[in-house]
Amino acid sequence: MTIEREGVAPPVAAVVAETPPAPDGVAPAMPLGEGRVRLRRWGAIFFSPPGDGARRRRGTDGLKLGAGLLAVLCAWLVYSADSKAEDSVTTFLHSAPQGIAWLVTVVFAVGAVGLIVLIVGLAFVSFFLGRREVLRDVALAGGVAWFLAWLLQQLTAGSHPSDPTLDGIKLGFPIVIVAVGMAVVTAALPYLARAVQRLVELGIAFVALATVVHGSGLPTAVLAGLALGWAVTAAVHLAFGSPLGLPSGADVALLLRELGVEASGVTPFPRQIWGVARYSGTDPLGRVDASVYGRDAADAQMLGKVFRFAFYRDSGPTLVISRVQQVEHEAYLTLLAAQAGANVSEVLAAAPAGPSKDAVLATRPPEGERLVELFTPVERDPLGEDPDEDDTIKPLAEGLGDAAVEDLFRQVLVLRSAGLTHGAVSPETVVVGDGRAGLVDFRIGTSHATADRLARDVAGALATIALAVGAERAVAAAARVLPHDALASALPHLQRAALDPITSRWLRGKKALLGDLREGGAAAAGVDLPELAEPRRVSWATFVLVLGSVIGGWALIGVLINVSKSFDTIKGADWGWVVAVFVLAQSAYPSEAVAVLGSVENPLFFSRVLALEVANTFVALAGGTPAVLATRIRYFQQEGYSPTLAVSSGVLVSTASWIVKGALFLISIPLAWSTFHFGQEPTGSSSSKQVWLILMVVIGVGLLLGLVLLVPRLRRLASHKLRPHAVEVWHHLKTLAVHPSKLVEVFGGSMVSQLAIAFSLGASLHAFGQHLSLPALIIVITLASMLGGVSPVPGGMGVVEAGMILGLTAAGISESVAVAAVFVQRLFTSYLPPIWGWFVLMWMRRKEYV
């Protein structure tokens, strides 16, 4: 069976033929667009047809990412074990005859660099052909692969035992040029013509072999580079979607015809879900829906299962192995629901079809329209940025009658009575029409369901209907249909994390709606407002915090190891200067308290604010800067300030601190920058190695976030989140400007605090017979605090120490003295204060000050 793709551009000859001929004797003028036509004609030699241009995330890419990372890990284990078999293979391949050594060098150098240049060049050509995503994928994959390969080389340096038989062979792991080449090749492959695909695949194979023969890497390092590039491309496809797109409507119509369903006008749904392609068409009897499970369907479900198991308490429905089983599962649940009396789809066919044996489920949905089609159009993508405040509780389908609303709850109650769950109740799976409601898409339904899953179905129906008609009508309809116990059991699950992802996205910015549902439901069921159930096992914030703690712990261990080596230096310290370090470090807290006092108009108790700043030493260690900001906001609220003013005051103090740091840093640069020589730190310095690695990781994450923010929807979302806080701080500053003394307190207190920290480091250097100028100290402190501030480590623990040691050694301080001085200074600014900070925090909580 031959299947043609939709969306392919018309033949070039047809386009050229439309150009009218020139009169005799007159040079034909180039018609408008002919240059592009010619470019497209030549482009067809190198590039595959664009098809329908659709992109989608594929589960197979997730498995590729995992397999690639696992391959890198296995290659590193073999690499670090110094396998004699690998050494023998390397020695054999490297001992090529002298007569062909030049050929090997040419293949390696010209092949590796030339292949990358060729792919990048083709990406630029595709950019001018209108396919800009090619250049984005290639550039992003190549850049990330280079960064990760370089980072791994730094981390694994010296892990391969020295071997005299490998003299002349580079021992880096992985091979950077191979990783970059593999990444750009695999990123470009889906866009290239078949002949070009085979050419570049053959080229990367020759480059990999030539790398070993040339002596530029061990076989395991080359394999690790290939696996890393492969994994990076998979990650790019997961982030932006794979260019393989969806099967065309004509493809799916042929698949349905093979199953005996004659459907016409088959088109994909506007929004697709991961792991299955959904289509809609018509036949002589009415509408036909089709779900097509391709090769990556099982991969997508398995990855989704693993993700939910890691981050949620309920990992979802039972895992099925093959795509045929997935179709059979969905058809089986649909038939069970119909047998129980629910208004659901009629199953027309369920079987593999087509040359790829894709599993296809054809159904006839209930009469009516999907609820999402009745929603009032809004000026945003419902799955994109958050709505404005005016839209937060606006019903999206006010014309929906009470009969259909009540019937949805009857359908859920029918399923509940039969022990069945739908699992994905959302505006896209609810069908309404003529006073009836129905449910479609039982892909994650379950039989013999637990009480929690039954309750989540009711919660999903409540949230979905509340989006359409508002919380008041939804609760009233549910109270008329549902038993009180069923309604009450659903209330703890009325939160975004517990609902279907589609419903959760529609609820962005509508927190008040869920709150109204819980309050109204509790009143209708005659129960007290229940506590929310916690569906998450691990949140992203917790994951980042744990990852940051691991990074910080690794850096701190390295610092402490150096401290143990510098113990003799510490014993020889001038203890009078050590006492000065303690006094100067503690003087920073009263200065910060003055800054907090200046952030509000009305007077506060200085002693309580001072206690707050001392307590924040423990809070910063436990939760980082966000926790400190939250504690300050809580204190302002306890003092009677409105939530808006409390937030703006807390943000103002943090913002003023960074403004002062930046100003002092800029003033100090021309005065002391010549003191620093960052390229001359001691050879083998573990502190410098750690801080440079951490710095590169932070820069890499920053660049990645910057690239992500190039996506307009994400950029608008970030702007929507940050702009209100910036406006609040600006209005707050204008209010305080009426009282200049307040501004002096805010910025003056922050400045004195920063100077006290810098002087404490200077006193610590004096304790060991060294000194630096104040501008140099400010540069060291600021660079280290910036590094700790942008790293995901609570309090910057470990990262700040490594940055300060690097700065001091770059300023000419010996490493042993730098380590000792930083340890003493951090002992009184970061290690010991959280101890008494914890007692102060407990006292403030007992007094209800925070």
Side-chain angles (χ1 to χ4, degrees):
M1 179 174 60
T2 302
I3 297 178
E4 298 180 357
R5 292 183 58 85
E6 286 185 342
V8 179
V12 175
V15 178
V16 176
E18 294 175 3
T19 304
D24 293 339
V26 179
M30 179 179 289
L32 184 64
E34 184 174 334
R36 174 159 295 219
V37 168
R38 291 178 177 176
L39 188 59
R40 289 186 182 277
R41 180 172 56 193
W42 283 103
I45 301 175
F46 299 99
F47 298 101
S48 62
D52 58 7
R55 300 178 69 94
R56 65 194 300 245
R57 293 181 176 89
R58 303 169 68 244
T60 303
D61 289 323
L63 283 188
K64 286 181 180 179
L65 175 60
L69 296 179
L70 181 61
V72 173
L73 176 61
C74 293
W76 176 76
L77 292 175
V78 175
Y79 169 85
S80 58
D82 189 21
S83 170
K84 297 303 179 184
E86 180 188 27
D87 293 350
S88 300
V89 172
T90 305
T91 305
F92 172 77
L93 292 176
H94 183 53
S95 58
Q98 292 295 324
I100 65 169
W102 65 271
L103 179 61
V104 173
T105 302
V106 169
V107 172
F108 170 70
V110 177
V113 177
L115 190 61
I116 296 174
V117 171
L118 172 65
I119 295 298
V120 173
L122 290 175
F124 273 104
V125 172
S126 68
F127 181 86
F128 291 108
L129 289 174
R131 302 179 70 178
R132 300 177 179 177
E133 66 275 8
V134 184
L135 183 59
R136 180 199 62 195
D137 289 359
V138 168
L140 187 58
V144 173
W146 171 85
F147 171 74
L148 292 179
W150 176 89
L151 181 63
L152 285 175
Q153 278 201 353
Q154 304 305 309
L155 292 173
T156 59
S159 60
H160 190 282
S162 59
D163 190 339
T165 63
L166 299 179
D167 288 343
I169 298 176
K170 296 180 181 179
L171 301 180
F173 179 94
I175 308 303
V176 176
I177 192 70
V178 173
V180 175
M182 185 66 172
V184 298
V185 164
T186 51
L189 278 180
Y191 303 103
L192 300 177
R194 188 173 299 275
V196 183
Q197 287 182 4
R198 299 297 176 260
L199 178 64
V200 296
E201 287 172 348
L202 186 63
I204 195 66
F206 273 117
V207 167
L209 179 61
T211 302
V212 180
V213 177
H214 184 259
S216 295
L218 296 176
T220 50
V222 172
L223 291 176
L226 294 173
L228 182 62
W230 193 53
V232 167
T233 297
V236 171
H237 287 167
L238 283 176
F240 295 99
S242 172
L244 298 179
L246 297 169
S248 68
D251 294 348
V252 177
L254 290 174
L255 295 177
L256 292 174
R257 184 180 303 167
E258 186 175 333
L259 299 181
V261 179
E262 295 289 340
S264 60
V266 178
T267 56
F269 277 26
R271 282 180 293 274
Q272 298 289 332
I273 55 178
W274 200 25
V276 57
R278 301 183 300 168
Y279 296 80
S280 177
T282 58
D283 69 357
L285 297 180
R287 180 172 171 175
V288 174
D289 287 348
S291 297
V292 181
Y293 290 85
R295 293 180 178 178
D296 68 322
D299 299 339
Q301 192 192 45
M302 186 180 72
L303 290 174
K305 185 82 172 177
V306 171
F307 174 82
R308 290 196 63 88
F309 176 79
F311 288 92
Y312 290 86
R313 299 182 185 276
D314 183 359
S315 61
T318 304
L319 181 67
V320 294
I321 303 302
S322 70
R323 43 190 158 168
V324 175
Q325 289 178 333
Q326 288 178 316
V327 165
E328 292 173 346
H329 171 81
E330 184 176 346
Y332 171 68
L333 265 295
T334 305
L335 292 172
L336 280 182
Q339 185 178 356
N343 186 25
V344 297
S345 301
E346 175 190 354
V347 176
L348 301 178
S356 300
K357 298 301 179 184
D358 293 330
V360 182
L361 174 65
T363 59
R364 191 180 310 283
E367 293 292 333
E369 296 180 284
R370 293 178 186 255
L371 184 58
V372 70
E373 297 170 359
L374 303 180
F375 279 5
T376 304
V378 290
E379 296 178 357
R380 64 179 178 90
D381 178 359
L383 306 186
E385 64 175 307
D386 291 347
D388 298 330
E389 291 298 324
D390 294 340
D391 295 332
T392 53
I393 55 175
K394 181 180 179 180
L396 299 176
E398 293 180 284
L400 187 63
D402 286 341
V405 173
E406 293 177 5
D407 196 51
L408 174 61
F409 292 113
R410 292 192 187 95
Q411 303 304 320
V412 174
L413 194 58
V414 168
L415 296 179
R416 182 185 179 91
S417 302
L420 304 174
T421 61
H422 182 276
V425 180
S426 74
E428 294 193 1
T429 59
V430 174
V431 177
V432 292
D434 295 332
R436 293 294 309 278
L439 290 168
V440 298
D441 194 358
F442 279 78
R443 69 187 187 283
I444 60 173
T446 54
S447 57
H448 306 289
T450 63
D452 274 351
R453 291 184 181 178
L454 294 171
R456 281 201 296 272
D457 259 12
V458 178
L462 272 168
T464 298
I465 284 300
L467 281 167
V469 300
E472 184 176 352
R473 285 184 60 190
V475 169
R480 292 193 294 268
V481 176
L482 298 175
H484 285 180
D485 61 336
L487 179 57
S489 66
L491 300 181
H493 300 282
L494 284 170
Q495 51 182 315
R496 287 182 57 192
L499 301 173
D500 180 74
I502 300 296
T503 306
S504 177
R505 289 168 183 167
W506 275 100
L507 284 166
R508 284 180 178 176
K510 299 180 181 291
K511 294 180 180 179
L513 183 64
L514 292 177
D516 292 344
L517 277 176
R518 287 191 293 268
E519 293 177 3
V527 298
D528 294 331
L529 190 66
E531 294 184 2
L532 294 177
E534 182 50 65
R536 293 187 185 273
R537 189 193 309 271
V538 178
S539 66
W540 282 111
T542 304
F543 176 76
V544 172
L545 192 62
V546 171
L547 179 62
S549 300
V550 171
I551 296 173
W554 167 63
L556 185 59
I557 289 173
V559 172
L560 294 178
I561 290 174
N562 286 333
V563 168
S564 65
K565 295 177 181 178
S566 304
F567 187 68
D568 291 337
T569 304
I570 295 176
K571 288 193 299 183
D574 186 333
W575 295 102
W577 281 108
V578 172
V579 172
V581 175
F582 172 78
V583 173
L584 288 169
Q586 306 316 302
S587 66
Y589 303 122
S591 304
E592 282 293 333
V594 171
V596 174
L597 288 174
S599 67
V600 292
E601 293 186 69
N602 297 330
L604 296 172
F605 290 101
F606 178 78
S607 58
R608 295 181 188 174
V609 177
L610 177 60
L612 173 69
E613 293 308 303
V614 174
N616 275 337
T617 58
F618 175 79
V619 174
L621 179 64
T625 303
V628 172
L629 176 60
T631 305
R632 284 175 178 160
I633 292 172
R634 175 66 176 170
Y635 174 77
F636 287 135
Q637 288 180 312
Q638 292 294 91
E639 290 292 328
Y641 287 94
S642 66
T644 301
L645 186 59
V647 171
S648 61
S649 299
V651 173
L652 175 61
V653 174
S654 300
T655 304
S657 177
W658 280 102
I659 290 175
V660 168
K661 286 181 182 179
L664 292 175
F665 180 69
L666 293 176
I667 293 172
S668 301
I669 284 179
L671 299 176
W673 190 253
S674 60
T675 306
F676 296 90
H677 305 282
F678 286 98
Q680 301 179 10
E681 61 269 18
T683 304
S685 170
S686 59
S687 298
S688 63
K689 180 180 178 181
Q690 287 174 346
V691 76
W692 283 117
L693 290 178
I694 294 170
L695 182 60
M696 290 303 297
V697 170
V698 171
I699 292 174
V701 172
L703 290 175
L704 183 60
L705 290 177
L707 290 172
V708 169
L709 289 180
L710 291 177
V711 180
R713 189 174 69 181
L714 296 178
R715 185 171 62 250
R716 291 194 300 268
L717 178 60
S719 174
H720 179 82
K721 294 292 185 183
L722 296 178
R723 186 184 294 115
H725 297 296
V727 171
E728 287 177 5
V729 171
W730 177 247
H731 286 317
H732 200 65
L733 276 173
K734 289 196 296 185
T735 302
L736 293 179
V738 181
H739 309 282
S741 61
K742 291 294 183 180
L743 295 180
V744 172
E745 289 178 351
V746 171
F747 290 97
S750 296
M751 180 174 294
V752 172
S753 175
Q754 297 303 319
L755 292 176
I757 297 298
F759 280 127
S760 69
L761 180 59
S764 185
L765 286 173
H766 276 287
F768 301 101
Q770 300 287 337
H771 70 278
L772 285 177
S773 65
L774 178 60
L777 294 172
I778 290 175
I779 290 176
V780 171
I781 292 289
T782 305
L783 289 177
S785 62
M786 289 172 62
L787 187 63
V790 297
S791 64
V793 183
M797 193 68 69
V799 179
V800 173
E801 288 86 345
M804 291 173 65
I805 292 171
L806 175 64
L808 292 177
T809 54
I813 306 298
S814 65
E815 185 179 15
S816 60
V817 172
V819 170
V822 168
F823 176 74
V824 171
Q825 195 260 5
R826 293 286 286 176
L827 181 68
F828 297 127
T829 58
S830 298
Y831 302 159
L832 295 180
I835 297 176
W836 48 77
W838 182 82
F839 290 102
V840 175
L841 180 63
M842 294 301 103
W843 172 76
M844 295 191 75
R845 293 188 63 180
R846 285 197 303 271
K847 295 291 186 178
E848 296 185 352
Y849 294 149
V850 292

